[in-house]
Amino acid sequence: EITSLNTWYLEMLNSVNQGVFVFDNNSRLKKINSTGLAILQTFMPQIYDANSLYQAPVELVFPYTVFGSWAKQFAQATSAKLSTFMGNMYVGTEAAERIYNVRLSRTTENTEMGTDLIITLDDITAQKESEQRIFELQKLADQGLLVSSISHELRNYLELILGGVEIAQLSLKKSDSDK
């Protein structure tokens, strides 16, 4: 029965689009879903399966050389007993660069071993890239409006000058040099 519950639990975790990492009270990895494993494999291709990470501490799951100070920030948030920590965090290597929305929370059930720590990673790289493109397009649109406004004002002055030149040409044709 426990085996079937564990299988059901892992199937539930695997159905989630975000990377899910469940750590026990001692900050050792208990469960990881397939998306979480894929995230880790993106930056650390030497990881072949989730079993190699079982009972690994947060510092080994999110090593400093790849994830920077993520593990340290997780430890600070959990030591402060914060129930939820949210933020966008960047990770980049030669292989890939990604931005994740990171959520950190504790389970609500408090057993004799404490509560589990749940870390979810949601890849928002495409969203941030789209926002950057929209920002750049907005800047180009603003520049276009500025150029259009300046060219309109210049055209008004040029029309005045051209009108004066036409009047001068007509006057010269009529042999009216005084005008």
Side-chain angles (χ1 to χ4, degrees):
E1 192 173 314
I2 291 175
T3 304
S4 66
L5 275 175
N6 279 333
T7 303
W8 174 79
Y9 179 55
L10 195 54
E11 285 174 5
M12 292 263 308
L13 287 178
N14 286 334
S15 69
V16 177
N17 290 332
Q18 295 88 9
V20 179
F21 303 83
V22 181
F23 293 88
D24 64 15
N25 194 36
N26 296 318
S27 297
R28 300 216 174 258
L29 187 66
K30 283 175 60 173
K31 299 278 185 207
I32 181 174
N33 70 348
S34 57
T35 305
L37 182 62
I39 289 170
L40 293 179
Q41 289 173 334
T42 300
F43 303 104
M44 299 178 295
Q46 70 274 16
I47 297 174
Y48 293 106
D49 63 359
N51 292 333
S52 63
L53 294 171
Y54 182 68
Q55 289 295 313
V58 173
E59 296 81 16
L60 288 180
V61 176
F62 299 104
Y64 184 82
T65 56
V66 176
F67 291 91
S69 63
W70 284 30
K72 182 179 177 182
Q73 291 178 30
F74 296 158
Q76 289 172 345
T78 56
S79 69
K81 302 293 184 206
L82 297 176
S83 60
T84 303
F85 165 78
M86 295 173 46
N88 295 336
M89 300 175 87
Y90 169 84
V91 60
T93 63
E94 292 176 10
E97 293 180 353
R98 309 303 291 167
I99 301 171
Y100 294 98
N101 183 293
V102 180
R103 289 187 175 94
L104 184 92
S105 59
R106 292 237 174 240
T107 56
T108 54
E109 65 180 54
N110 193 358
T111 64
E112 63 274 355
M113 292 185 282
T115 58
D116 289 344
L117 172 66
I118 302 171
I119 298 172
T120 58
L121 304 180
D122 189 12
D123 190 346
I124 59 168
T125 306
Q127 176 185 347
K128 289 296 182 184
E129 288 172 351
S130 294
E131 288 174 3
Q132 183 62 32
R133 274 188 241 117
I134 289 171
F135 176 74
E136 289 170 1
L137 287 173
Q138 185 64 42
K139 273 180 38 181
L140 284 174
D142 290 345
Q143 290 173 349
L145 284 172
L146 181 64
V147 167
S148 172
S149 176
I150 290 172
S151 68
H152 176 73
E153 294 298 322
L154 286 174
R155 189 177 304 127
N156 286 343
Y157 287 113
L158 289 175
E159 291 294 330
L160 286 172
I161 293 170
L162 285 176
V165 168
E166 285 180 17
I167 292 173
Q169 284 177 337
L170 288 173
S171 295
L172 285 174
K173 285 182 183 177
K174 292 181 182 179
S175 299
D176 192 3
S177 61
D178 289 338
K179 285 187 180 178

